[in-house]
């Protein structure tokens, strides 16, 4: 009997240990007009949030494209040029995607944390870093020098993390 | 007739597990922990190395399940549903027989863990983080969305593995405390004392071991090149 209890406790403890606590991304609010406020740039809050999500995803996908081909024996330099140019384009704009009112308080699903706006100076500095590193990546990519491109990868990825580590919702 | 009744002396420990199987078991346990820790600490190069090593171990173990010593072979311990249920029901009865190697219920655990580990390694090979920064070597063959999903499933599968490992440890504790059978020692030394007559150990020739190692090495090389 004692053994079954022990075994049960060990198993249960392990199961519980495996269950991580999860903070869900802010759900769409009950109010049907969540994110309907119009911003200075003409977009509604909802449109701005969704637009930046699409652009950020494109940044990630472009980075994947570059990293994927760099893993092969004969990296596709033309594909890298195109992807890096896209990343740079997004990088130039990134700082403008987070106007006041487009945070979790808007009631639209977003992984942006409130500290972007409470710690704006730090966020803006991180956004500047992304702008700089993606521009540098595009410039280096245009030379076609694979080794130099590889050399710029850590700094570029690091600039993404520089923001995400602090200002994006952790998934687990 | 129990061995000690035949000879009049206490039964000698007899060989149950070969060295390769034991090394596989403990290496896997250690690397499982190392993989978890390196992921937590975001030491992704080490995490990948750990995963590639686990891949090699799994390839070897599956091969060994067909080509290894008798106790390592799947055919030796995987029994049909009737035999397995009968064994489980008879755990406390007078009919209970000790097994040299995995018993039929333990076999289920082995299958579950091996399948889950194969799934985990495969997902890891195709996985990518949201930012496209860290990824497995095979992620380049699939799309961004697919690789991101593989990464998420890789994280979920870890929780499944944690449950299986927990059950495994609980089972070993059960045998130790209730059945008074220490199964940990035999997996270290390879030898176990039985109070009944059990199957003798039948080894595998060295060339088969070498072939298994070569096969594992080949698969890992193909994946990481």
């Amino acid at each position: 009997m004692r053994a079954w209890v022990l075994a049960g406790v060990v198993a249960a403890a392990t199961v519980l240990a495996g269950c991580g606590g999860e903070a869900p991304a802010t759900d769409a609010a009950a109010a049907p007009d969540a994110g309907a406020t119009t911003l200075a740039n003409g977009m509604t809050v909802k449109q701005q949030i969704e637009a930046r999500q699409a652009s950020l995803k494109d940044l990630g996908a472009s980075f994947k494209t570059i990293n994927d081909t760099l893993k092969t024996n004969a990296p596709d330099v033309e594909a890298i040029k195109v992807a890096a140019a896209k990343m740079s384009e997004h990088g130039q704009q990134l700082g403008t995607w987070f106007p006041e009112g487009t945070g979790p308080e808007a009631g639209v699903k977003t992984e942006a944390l409130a500290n972007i706006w409470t710690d704006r100076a730090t966020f803006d500095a991180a956004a500047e870093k992304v702008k700089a590193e993606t521009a540098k990546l595009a410039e280096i990519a245009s030379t076609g020098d694979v080794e130099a491109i590889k050399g710029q990868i850590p700094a570029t990825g690091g600039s993404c993390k520089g923001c995400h580590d602090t200002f994006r919702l952790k998934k687990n | 007739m129990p061995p000690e009744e035949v000879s009049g002396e206490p039964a000698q420990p007899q060989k149950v597990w070969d060295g390769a199987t034991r090394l596989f078991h403990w290496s896997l346990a250690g690397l499982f922990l190392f993989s978890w820790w390196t992921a937590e600490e975001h030491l992704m190069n080490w995490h990948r190395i750990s995963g590639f090593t686990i891949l090699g171990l799994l390839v070897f173990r599956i091969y060994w399940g067909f080509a290894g010593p008798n106790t390592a072979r799947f055919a030796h311990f995987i029994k049909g549903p009737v035999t397995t249920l009968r064994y489980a029901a008879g755990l406390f009865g007078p009919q209970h027989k000790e097994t040299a190697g995995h018993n039929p219920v333990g076999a289920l655990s082995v299958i579950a863990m091996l399948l889950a580990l194969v799934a985990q390694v495969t997902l890891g090979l195709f996985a990518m983080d949201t930012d496209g920064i860290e990824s497995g070597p095979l992620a380049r063959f699939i799309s961004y969305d697919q690789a991101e999903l593989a990464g998420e499933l890789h994280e979920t599968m870890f929780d499944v593995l944690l449950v299986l490992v927990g059950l495994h440890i609980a089972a070993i504790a059960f045998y130790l405390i209730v059945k008074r059978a220490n199964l940990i020692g035999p997996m270290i030394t390879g030898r176990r004392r039985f109070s009944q007559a059990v199957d003798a150990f039948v080894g595998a020739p060295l060339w088969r071991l070498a072939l298994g190692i070569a096969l594992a090495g080949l698969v890992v090389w193909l994946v990481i090149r």
Side-chain angles (χ1 to χ4, degrees), chain A residues 2-4 6-7 10-11 14-15 17-20 57 60-61 63-64 67-68 71-72 157 160-161 164 168 171-172, chain B residues 42 92 128 130-133 135-137 139-140 142-145 147-148 152 155 159 162-163 166-167 170 174 177-178:
Chain A
R2 212 181 88 244
W4 284 113
L6 172 70
V10 171
T14 314
V15 171
C19 296
K57 185 165 168 177
F63 205 40
K64 177 180 191 284
N67 286 324
D68 283 353
K71 277 184 199 161
T72 68
C160 307
K161 276 178 62 62
H164 291 157
R168 185 177 66 181
K171 280 192 187 146
N172 55 359
Chain B
H42 209 72
F92 291 99
M128 180 202 69
T130 312
D131 305 329
I133 299 175
S135 58
R140 62 187 164 104
I142 56 177
S143 77
Y144 174 88
D145 284 327
E148 195 188 24
E152 285 165 3
E155 283 193 51
D159 291 339
L162 216 46
V163 171
L167 285 171
F174 165 79
I177 296 167
V178 178

Side-chain angles (χ1 to χ4, degrees), chain B residues 8-208:
Chain B
E9 287 168 2
Q12 290 305 301
Q14 66 184 76
K15 181 141 185 185
V16 177
W17 297 116
D18 64 289
T21 301
R22 287 178 274 139
L23 189 60
F24 158 81
H25 175 272
W26 295 111
S27 302
L28 184 63
L31 286 168
F32 180 71
L33 282 170
F34 187 63
S35 283
W36 165 77
W37 180 75
T38 48
E40 287 290 299
E41 298 297 312
H42 209 72
L43 297 166
M44 295 315 286
N45 278 331
W46 282 112
H47 185 74
R48 278 184 285 263
I49 291 171
S50 185
F52 298 146
T53 313
I54 293 176
L55 171 66
L57 285 176
L58 291 174
V59 169
F60 174 80
R61 181 64 185 96
I62 292 168
Y63 161 84
W64 211 226
F66 295 102
N70 61 342
T71 54
R73 293 199 183 193
F74 300 130
H76 186 260
F77 55 81
I78 297 175
K79 307 292 184 195
V82 174
T83 312
T84 306
L85 281 167
R86 217 179 260 149
Y87 175 86
L91 264 172
F92 291 99
Q95 300 302 315
H96 173 63
K97 282 201 174 58
E98 290 165 315
T99 322
H102 297 309
N103 64 58
V105 171
L108 298 175
S109 175
V110 171
I111 299 168
M113 282 194 285
L114 281 178
L115 284 176
L117 285 164
V118 167
Q120 181 67 335
V121 167
T122 307
L123 287 167
L125 292 172
F126 287 98
M128 180 202 69
D129 66 357
T130 312
D131 305 329
I133 299 175
E134 301 287 352
S135 58
L138 304 183
R140 62 187 164 104
F141 295 115
I142 56 177
S143 77
Y144 174 88
D145 284 327
Q146 289 165 336
E148 195 188 24
L149 179 62
E152 285 165 3
L153 292 174
H154 185 70
E155 283 193 51
T156 307
M157 184 55 74
F158 175 72
D159 291 339
V160 172
L161 277 164
L162 216 46
V163 171
L164 291 175
V165 168
L167 285 171
H168 172 57
I169 294 172
I172 299 297
F174 165 79
Y175 274 94
L176 185 61
I177 296 167
V178 178
K179 303 299 291 175
R180 301 191 195 283
N182 177 6
L183 301 180
I184 306 169
M187 190 49 85
I188 299 171
T189 66
R191 299 186 165 272
R192 183 181 163 190
R193 228 179 265 273
F194 294 96
S195 56
Q196 306 156 337
V198 294
D199 292 344
F201 177 81
V202 177
L206 203 59
W207 68 262
R208 278 218 282 266

